[in-house]
Amino acid sequence: AQMERKGEVQYVETCIFYPSGTFFDPKWKAAKSFSILAPVLGGVFWVWICFGLCLEMSARLWRIIGMIFFLTCLLQGLTLLYLPSDGCVNNEF
């Protein structure tokens, strides 16, 4: 990871914790939750698709799975809420 602090660039090879008292605004919290929901939901239904190819499923069930994958794409896009949040725009760490 690359960090720029007061005109100098620092390279960090480990995770850095947020400073104590960091305020997580609603956009930042939403992006964090969507970044967990999207891959979990997508992964579960991807495994279901893998098994579904070997099993007989109704057309209605395939449509539902398609809608769930569309929802997963929407959730993944909502992770971009991080960009206008305080974590990306007004961060001091």
Side-chain angles (χ1 to χ4, degrees), residues 14-59:
T14 60
C15 294
I16 297 175
F17 294 104
Y18 295 116
S20 61
T22 302
F23 174 71
F24 295 100
D25 65 344
K27 289 180 185 177
W28 195 351
K29 288 180 183 179
K32 286 172 57 175
S33 63
F34 292 140
S35 69
I36 297 297
L37 286 173
V40 168
L41 188 64
V44 166
F45 282 94
W46 180 78
V47 170
W48 191 0
I49 288 282
C50 290
F51 287 114
L53 296 173
C54 301
L55 305 172
E56 187 176 335
M57 292 195 292
S58 67

